Amino acid sequence: MNRRYRKTIIAGNWKMNMTATETKKFAEDMKKIMPRVKWCEVVICVPACNISTAMKAFKEPRIIVGAENVYFEPSGAFTGEMSAAMLADLGVKYVIVGHSERRQYFCETDQTVNKKVHAVLDAGMNPIICVGESLEQRETGITDDLIAMQVKSALFNVSAEKLRRCVIAYEPIWAIGTGKTATSEQAAEVCRNIRGVIRNLYGARVARGVTIQYGGSMNPKNAAELLAQADIDGGLIGGASLKPEQFLDIINAANGE
């Protein structure tokens, strides 16, 4: 982390977990144990049906509510989708865009990710843009080229001013939900390269202000070591964000002096 130049963000991604009732219970449990957060911002991205409940329940623990997905069209005959304006009207601040599960199971492409990034920014919210490689792609040696392409595609036509509201989350696909985690050196190298891509696009001053998260099975045991890396500015947390005590341990790792 480098708090001098950029914000540290710990964001939970609940995926398709938690009912509205369970969301209330989680918030109550977090309220009991949540410390005064000085050095990082805490976000939980919840299923769309839980957003209204979460907005009320998370006020006291001071957790910011985010969404897990958005559609890029402003309105129309797109049954089951939610527009950026709909999310913003509910009070959502962050939206996950381009998660590998959306790319894999719902056929999202670099082009649709870019459209979603613009929709989120135009609605005044902050996109958490996910990039990452499969194990086969890593073993083939194309990690850097692939992720550079994902970053460039996602940020196409995004101005330097709007980039300040973007978060990049490096999520190696081979480490999501598998229990495997990139070593701190592997994670740091990719995050450093991501910042290099942004530097080439926007210049050094802009690049040093962009928050880059790591999101491959960060947990209480490895959080401190990962967050100690200069170019890792937080985490996009999956399974551990569903358990208040584990999520708290990660928050404390980011919130320490």
Side-chain angles (χ1 to χ4, degrees):
M1 299 178 288
N2 189 326
R3 295 180 179 132
R4 179 180 178 185
Y5 294 118
R6 47 191 176 263
K7 185 184 299 183
T8 301
I9 302 173
I10 299 297
N13 175 18
W14 278 4
K15 308 188 180 185
M16 197 174 72
N17 293 292
M18 294 287 198
T19 63
T21 301
E22 290 168 334
T23 299
K24 291 180 182 178
K25 176 63 166 57
F26 181 95
E28 290 171 0
D29 291 342
M30 287 299 296
K31 181 180 177 180
K32 295 174 184 176
I33 61 176
M34 188 77 170
R36 178 177 176 271
V37 179
K38 180 180 180 181
W39 297 110
C40 73
E41 196 163 84
V42 180
V43 181
I44 293 183
C45 297
V46 304
C49 60
N50 291 351
I51 290 173
S52 293
T53 298
M55 291 300 302
K56 296 176 183 178
F58 289 152
K59 279 185 179 179
E60 183 58 31
R62 297 185 180 179
I63 295 174
I64 298 168
V65 177
E68 298 178 6
N69 188 34
V70 67
Y71 196 57
F72 51 79
E73 293 289 354
S75 62
F78 305 103
T79 301
E81 295 293 341
M82 294 188 71
S83 72
M86 292 173 180
L87 296 175
D89 189 61
L90 290 173
V92 167
K93 299 300 183 185
Y94 287 88
V95 184
I96 297 173
V97 176
H99 192 280
S100 63
E101 291 159 3
R102 297 294 311 177
R103 296 177 191 252
Q104 178 180 358
Y105 300 130
F106 302 99
C107 304
E108 291 196 8
T109 66
D110 288 340
Q111 289 68 40
T112 58
V113 168
N114 176 249
K115 290 180 179 181
K116 290 185 176 188
V117 169
H118 282 284
V120 171
L121 289 169
D122 289 346
M125 298 180 293
N126 310 308
I128 298 175
I129 305 166
C130 299
V131 299
E133 84 284 17
S134 68
L135 182 60
E136 180 181 6
Q137 289 164 336
R138 171 166 280 274
E139 292 177 341
T140 305
I142 63 172
T143 293
D144 292 345
D145 291 338
L146 175 73
I147 291 179
M149 181 180 68
Q150 290 176 337
V151 172
K152 290 177 181 178
S153 297
L155 298 180
F156 182 68
N157 278 340
V158 173
S159 68
E161 184 62 32
K162 287 187 175 180
L163 179 65
R164 298 179 189 279
R165 291 195 279 119
C166 295
V167 177
I168 308 295
Y170 168 52
E171 292 206 314
I173 299 170
W174 49 273
I176 299 175
T178 64
K180 297 180 179 178
T181 309
T183 65
S184 57
E185 291 79 11
Q186 289 173 321
E189 179 183 12
V190 176
C191 291
R192 183 169 58 250
N193 290 341
I194 290 172
R195 199 173 306 283
V197 172
I198 298 172
R199 185 182 304 111
N200 290 337
L201 292 173
Y202 295 93
R205 184 176 181 179
V206 173
R208 75 184 183 187
V210 175
T211 295
I212 301 176
Q213 299 173 315
Y214 174 73
S217 296
M218 182 181 283
N219 59 60
K221 293 182 179 179
N222 60 32
E225 183 178 354
L226 287 164
L227 293 169
Q229 306 305 311
D231 287 295
I232 298 179
D233 310 306
L236 183 58
I237 317 300
S241 71
L242 297 168
K243 302 173 182 177
E245 294 79 9
Q246 292 189 18
F247 195 46
L248 175 66
D249 286 343
I250 297 172
I251 293 169
N252 286 336
N255 194 41
E257 296 289 345

